[in-house]
Amino acid sequence: MNKTNNLTTTWYKKLVVTAIAATIGLSAASFVPGQASAATADSAQVNATALTASATSASSRASQVISIGKRYLGTPYKFGAKAGQTRNFDCSSFTQYVYKKIGINLPRTSQQQARVGTYVSRSNLRAGDLVFFSIPGKPHVIHHVAIYMGNNKLLQTYGAGGVRITDIHSGTWSSRYMTARRVIH
């Protein structure tokens, strides 16, 4: 390898290490060769543990949301269902109710819910994310919300059959997909 390629490779490695360090909350100075210390190692361990605990906590809370929501499978759908009761649900009263059970307060409508949390791309969906859709006849306008369960499955309520699990690629769901939000962190 010639000197120019070696400098480019070294520069690129430093860039990657700095980016990774910043992503997990470590100082880039922690990775200067020959300057590592026990404090730096302890800091790295604490940050790695916190990152793992945070991911585990989010995963656990997502599992709770899905478990709570599944208890209502078959509960009838009713547009405009009253918030806080479980005799029937519309899509957003269902998500509002289920998330409230784990301490997350969501606004009442799907359009309002689409403005909370953080944006998530379709390719980065995780269990517990809220997924939003348009409805037939009103493209590009959010009118439906569902809970992403993972493996392309949605926990949602609409029409006859009420609360159910569906595939995001079934029917017209995929073509009516609008956005997703992460409210479990």
Side-chain angles (χ1 to χ4, degrees):
M1 182 182 297
N2 67 33
K3 188 174 180 178
T4 304
N5 283 344
N6 193 23
L7 288 174
T8 302
T9 301
T10 302
W11 174 84
Y12 182 74
K13 285 179 182 177
K14 286 181 182 179
L15 177 67
V16 170
V17 168
T18 301
I20 291 169
T23 300
I24 63 173
L26 300 175
S27 166
S30 302
F31 294 97
V32 176
Q35 295 182 10
S37 67
T40 300
D42 290 345
S43 176
Q45 180 61 39
V46 168
N47 283 324
T49 301
L51 185 63
T52 301
S54 176
T56 301
S57 175
S59 175
S60 173
R61 293 180 81 203
S63 293
Q64 287 178 303
V65 161
I66 292 165
S67 178
I68 293 165
K70 286 169 118 178
R71 291 181 201 156
Y72 297 97
L73 287 171
T75 300
Y77 172 84
K78 180 181 178 186
F79 181 77
K82 184 178 177 190
Q85 55 82 35
T86 59
R87 287 183 313 282
N88 48 48
F89 294 106
D90 66 12
C91 64
S92 56
S93 70
F94 176 64
T95 54
Q96 184 184 48
Y97 180 84
V98 171
Y99 281 84
K100 186 171 187 168
K101 288 293 188 184
I102 67 156
I104 296 174
N105 293 313
L106 296 175
R108 177 60 185 86
T109 70
S110 58
Q111 289 178 350
Q112 293 167 335
Q113 290 177 12
R115 292 191 291 269
V116 299
T118 55
Y119 167 79
V120 180
S121 69
R122 191 171 185 165
S123 61
N124 288 313
L125 288 172
R126 286 196 315 223
D129 289 342
L130 293 173
V131 185
F132 299 89
F133 302 88
S134 63
I135 59 172
K138 294 192 178 186
H140 311 297
V141 178
I142 292 172
H143 278 285
H144 183 71
V145 60
I147 301 168
Y148 187 72
M149 299 176 68
N151 298 318
N152 295 314
K153 299 295 182 200
L154 301 171
L155 180 58
Q156 61 183 332
T157 185
Y158 64 93
V163 178
R164 68 188 85 183
I165 296 171
T166 54
D167 191 289
I168 198 168
H169 300 296
S170 67
T172 61
W173 295 116
S174 190
S175 64
R176 294 189 290 118
Y177 178 92
M178 298 281 297
T179 190
R181 306 294 287 187
R182 183 160 295 147
V183 295
I184 299 174
H185 297 282

